[in-house]
């Protein structure tokens, strides 16, 4: 089925912004097909958006929490009505299969609903009356929020910021990635239609407007998801005016297979394979390196290949039988291939996994057949760097202590997983340095939006999801009214 290209606009103050230049987004499965156009905003547009958001904040900050919740719930209903259109567009511009695009929408809505359900309780004043007097603990909105998101999960990683920011009484400007700007723009417009003009604004473009959004003095908080290198630059941009920061950065998540793991457990092996390759490996929180006991290595590899060959069907993202689409962009294919080639040049064995459904399509798009890399050691690039694509290295270890050390020997600490007998896995999990550790599962299967998500070490600062994912959008403001007004500890 052919689709007409869509044209998306940035919007500020409830109005579309006209731009001279635009970003052309091609279909990664067929780069000759244009999926649509997104605006290429300028630094002037960005300053205008910040001014507008700052103005809107003066009123919006005083609105009732119940009013904000009602608006958000109406926005969620509208998103449901347009879900099929949005997920189709996301699949075409991103390359992820429709089931996967739909999963992204479901997670987005799950979080938006959960944030609504927590808002009244977590954002209302706490009043403490004691014999010493009264203290009110108010939750003040922070101000103008700049939200910057990456291409791999554009809708979920934008709404994860928009919902709590608006519920808490902030105004926001969202800048998605130019590599998947279309479906998220549609989502943002739908949400904005339920809020007063200027409360939710959206811009599109490259790093230059990101720099303005993270340095402009009227911006009070930055909520960023993306690579660790960009996160470092954002910390520098934010330093001059000491902005609040939530940084969700890169991950190189280990999967530690314990000696008690049964390689013949087909269900567990299937979960592991999915956790390595879903969304063609382009997720921050998927297992990106596997550590296996030396004594189990060969059997494990054999069973892993069997499970991968069953589940991986690479092809047209609109085909229901396909489990993996193309990689989102050519640069990413080249980077992942570079890591695989480097491993091979250093003596690793590279095995192709799964089935290619249509060779012709495969050759025309940004496709990459998933690979398993064995015979590598922990020091190789493919193990130490975040590949963010369809390849997975397996490294052998001698004993569990060494396995744990290898997992922790990384600048990253986003998620992780431990696989084996449950009690033992729970014990070992406590020794892993990460924001989340999952037991006998990994990636999306182990995510629960009711609990905080985020990284340690260079995987980030702060948390999204859970209560912290909402309360990180307010400043605690303590209003103290003590009975005894005289200063203590001061001599007469
Ligand atoms: P990226 O850092 O290249 O870009 C992310 C966003 O930042 C884009 O919108 C980009 O235009 C913008 N940007 C680029 N330079 C900027 C600058 N100097 N100032 C402000 N904004 C700037 O990341 P990407 O390639 O889009 O996404 C992949 C990375 O994101 C991976 O490392 C992945 O692990 C990470 N990620 C992390 C999480 C998490 O929750 N921790 C989730 C998804 C992706």
């Amino acid at each position: 089925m052919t689709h007409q290209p869509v044209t998306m606009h940035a919007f500020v103050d409830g109005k579309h912004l006209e731009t001279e230049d635009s970003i052309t987004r091609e279909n990664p499965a067929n780069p000759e097909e244009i999926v649509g156009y997104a605006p290429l905003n300028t630094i002037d547009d960005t300053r205008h958006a910040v001014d507008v958001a700052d103005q809107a904040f003066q009123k919006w900050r005083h609105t009732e929490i119940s009013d904000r919740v009602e608006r958000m719930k109406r926005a969620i209903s509208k998103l449901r009505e347009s879900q099929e259109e949005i997920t189709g567009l996301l699949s075409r511009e991103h390359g992820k299969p429709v089931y996967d695009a739909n999963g992204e929408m479901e997670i987005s809505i799950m979080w938006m609903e959960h944030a609504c359900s927590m808002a009244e309780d977590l954002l209302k004043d706490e009043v403490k009356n004691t014999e010493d007097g009264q203290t009110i603990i108010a939750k003040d909105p922070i101000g103008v929020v700049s939200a910057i998101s990456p291409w791999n999960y554009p809708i979920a990683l934008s709404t994860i910021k928009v919902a709590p920011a608006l519920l808490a009484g902030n105004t926001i400007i969202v800048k998605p990635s130019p590599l998947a700007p279309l479906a998220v723009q549609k989502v943002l417009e739908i949400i904005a239609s339920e809020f007063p003009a200027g409360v939710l604004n959206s811009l599109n473009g490259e790093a230059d407007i990101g720099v303005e959004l993270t340095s402009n003095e009227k911006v009070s908080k930055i909520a960023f998801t993306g690579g660790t290198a960009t996160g470092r630059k954002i910390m520098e941009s934010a330093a001059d005016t000491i902005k609040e920061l939530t940084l969700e950065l890169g991950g190189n998540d280990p999967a530690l297979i314990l000696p008690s793991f049964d390689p013949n457990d087909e269900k567990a092996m299937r979960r592991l394979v999915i956790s390595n390759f879903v969304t063609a490996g382009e997720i921050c929180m998927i297992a990106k390196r596997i550590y296996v006991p030396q004594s189990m290595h060969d059997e494990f590899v054999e069973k892993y290949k069997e499970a991968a060959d069953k589940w991986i069907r690479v092809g047209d993202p609109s085909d229901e039988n396909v489990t993996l689409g193309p990689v989102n962009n050519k640069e990413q294919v080249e980077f992942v291939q570079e890591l695989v080639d480097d491993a091979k040049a250093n003596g690793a064995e590279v095995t192709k996994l799964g089935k290619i459904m249509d060779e012709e399509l495969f050759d025309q798009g940004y496709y990459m057949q998933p690979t398993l890399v064995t015979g590598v050691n922990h020091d190789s690039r493919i193990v130490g760097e975040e590949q963010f694509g369809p390849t997975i290295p397996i490294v052998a270890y001698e004993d569990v202590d060494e396995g744990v050390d290898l997992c922790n020997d990384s600048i990253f600490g986003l998620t992780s997983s431990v696989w084996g007998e449950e009690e033992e896995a729970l014990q070992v999990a406590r020794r892993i340095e990460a924001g989340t550790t999952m037991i006998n599962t990994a990636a999306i299967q182990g995510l629960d939006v009711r609990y905080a998500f985020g990284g340690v070490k260079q995987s980030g600062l702060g948390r999204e999801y859970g209560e912290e994912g909402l309360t990180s959008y307010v400043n605690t403001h303590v209003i103290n009214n003590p009975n005894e007004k005289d200063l203590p500890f001061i001599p007469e």
Side-chain angles (χ1 to χ4, degrees):
M1 189 169 141
T2 47
H3 296 269
Q4 289 303 315
V6 297
T7 301
M8 293 297 174
H9 300 275
F11 61 89
V12 172
D13 209 7
K15 297 185 276 287
H16 283 160
L17 266 192
E18 292 307 321
T19 52
E20 276 180 25
D21 298 315
S22 61
I23 296 162
T24 304
R25 185 61 206 148
E26 74 267 27
N27 180 346
N30 174 14
E32 285 186 4
E33 181 195 324
I34 293 171
V35 183
Y37 305 94
L40 187 62
N41 289 114
T42 61
I43 292 181
D44 280 348
D45 295 339
T46 313
R47 291 186 181 139
H48 170 57
V50 174
D51 288 344
V52 162
D54 186 43
Q55 276 282 314
F57 177 62
Q58 307 314 326
K59 260 196 176 169
W60 179 247
R61 63 179 305 169
H62 298 299
T63 51
E64 296 290 329
I65 300 168
S66 56
D67 172 48
R68 300 176 203 154
V69 170
E70 282 316 307
R71 288 173 188 272
M72 193 60 74
K73 285 184 175 169
R74 290 202 297 272
I76 293 169
S77 300
K78 282 189 175 172
L79 288 178
R80 280 275 182 231
E81 284 163 21
S82 300
Q83 184 156 345
E84 212 179 311
E85 184 194 345
I86 294 166
T87 51
L89 183 58
L90 177 61
S91 172
R92 287 198 300 287
E93 68 170 327
H94 184 281
K96 58 177 77 178
V98 173
Y99 80 87
D100 195 0
N102 206 44
E104 179 172 345
M105 269 301 273
E106 289 299 331
I107 288 172
S108 307
I109 289 177
M110 214 183 276
W111 164 243
M112 292 170 80
E113 286 174 340
H114 186 60
C116 284
S117 74
M118 293 187 293
E120 296 262 9
D121 250 12
L122 290 181
L123 301 176
K124 68 174 191 269
D125 287 354
E126 280 174 67
V127 182
K128 309 272 187 199
N129 290 306
T130 67
E131 66 275 17
D132 299 322
Q134 187 181 61
T135 300
I136 300 164
I137 303 163
K139 315 287 165 48
D140 291 355
I142 299 174
V144 176
V145 177
S146 288
I148 301 178
S149 54
W151 50 264
N152 66 317
Y153 250 60
I155 296 175
L157 297 174
S158 297
T159 49
I160 200 173
K161 301 165 176 50
V162 169
L166 299 191
L167 289 168
N170 304 281
T171 55
I172 192 166
I173 302 150
V174 187
K175 189 205 95 61
S177 164
L179 291 167
L182 304 173
V184 60
Q185 188 69 18
K186 173 106 194 135
V187 165
L188 295 171
E189 280 214 37
I190 289 174
I191 301 173
S193 69
E194 288 298 334
F195 289 84
V199 168
L200 166 56
N201 309 279
S202 129
L203 298 172
N204 270 279
E206 306 283 351
D208 58 338
I209 69 167
V211 173
E212 180 62 30
L213 280 172
T214 52
S215 57
N216 190 301
E217 63 179 350
K218 289 183 183 162
V219 170
S220 298
K221 175 175 169 110
I222 298 164
F224 171 76
T225 306
T228 296
T230 314
R232 288 188 194 106
K233 290 185 192 155
I234 287 178
M235 283 186 94
E236 281 181 30
S237 290
D240 260 1
T241 45
I242 317 285
K243 299 183 193 311
E244 287 267 350
L245 285 176
T246 301
L247 300 177
E248 295 287 358
L249 307 178
N252 189 10
D253 301 357
L256 179 60
I257 311 298
L258 298 175
S260 54
F261 179 79
D262 177 6
N264 291 299
D265 181 342
E266 287 182 18
K267 282 191 175 162
M269 216 33 132
R270 177 184 141 87
R271 287 199 299 277
L272 182 61
V273 166
I274 293 172
S275 79
N276 301 141
F277 289 109
V278 68
T279 319
E282 302 155 312
I283 304 189
C284 57
M285 51 165 305
I286 60 175
K288 292 173 183 150
R289 47 194 172 116
I290 302 177
Y291 295 98
V292 187
Q294 182 69 63
S295 55
M296 189 199 289
H297 178 272
D298 292 354
E299 189 187 5
F300 180 91
V301 168
E302 189 193 320
K303 296 294 171 189
Y304 185 94
K305 283 183 198 162
E306 280 174 20
D309 285 343
K310 255 195 206 165
W311 184 70
I312 296 173
R313 298 182 292 278
V314 185
D316 182 346
S318 66
D319 178 344
E320 283 182 356
N321 295 315
V322 159
T323 52
L324 252 68
V327 171
N328 171 268
N329 60 81
K330 196 159 172 262
E331 289 69 31
Q332 196 61 22
V333 174
E334 286 165 359
F335 174 68
V336 180
Q337 192 59 53
E338 182 186 313
L339 293 183
V340 174
D341 292 346
D342 174 80
K344 211 170 174 180
N346 286 294
E349 192 177 323
V350 175
T351 311
K352 291 190 171 168
L353 300 171
K355 188 173 163 202
I356 294 170
M357 307 288 276
D358 179 339
E359 293 284 350
E360 205 179 314
L361 188 81
F362 187 88
D363 290 340
Q364 86 188 0
Y366 303 142
Y367 282 97
M368 190 174 172
Q369 185 162 3
T371 51
L372 178 68
V373 181
T374 50
V376 272
N377 63 40
H378 175 73
D379 298 327
S380 66
R381 280 187 67 198
I382 201 162
V383 179
E385 293 182 31
E386 179 187 32
Q387 69 271 45
F388 219 62
T391 183
I392 184 79
I394 295 184
V395 179
Y397 69 81
E398 285 302 326
D399 58 30
V400 173
D401 286 344
E402 191 200 12
V404 170
D405 287 346
L406 294 177
C407 288
N408 291 340
D409 182 24
S410 169
I411 61 162
F412 299 110
L414 190 58
T415 78
S416 53
S417 54
V418 182
W419 303 69
E421 190 275 319
E422 226 166 84
E423 272 311 307
E424 188 193 6
L426 282 164
Q427 293 294 327
V428 173
R430 292 181 177 274
R431 298 169 59 193
I432 307 287
E433 296 165 359
T436 303
T437 302
M438 305 172 198
I439 307 297
N440 288 318
T441 192
I444 308 297
Q445 300 106 292
L447 181 73
D448 189 328
V449 300
R450 290 172 299 179
Y451 307 108
F453 176 85
V456 301
K457 300 197 271 188
Q458 294 182 36
S459 285
L461 281 181
R463 294 289 181 269
E464 294 188 313
Y465 290 145
E467 293 190 359
E468 285 173 70
L470 180 58
T471 55
S472 61
Y473 285 87
V474 289
N475 284 324
T476 301
H477 183 180
V478 174
I479 300 165
N480 233 342
N481 184 12
N483 292 334
E484 181 56 64
K485 309 288 182 192
D486 277 348
L487 299 175
F489 319 122
I490 309 284
E492 291 291 333

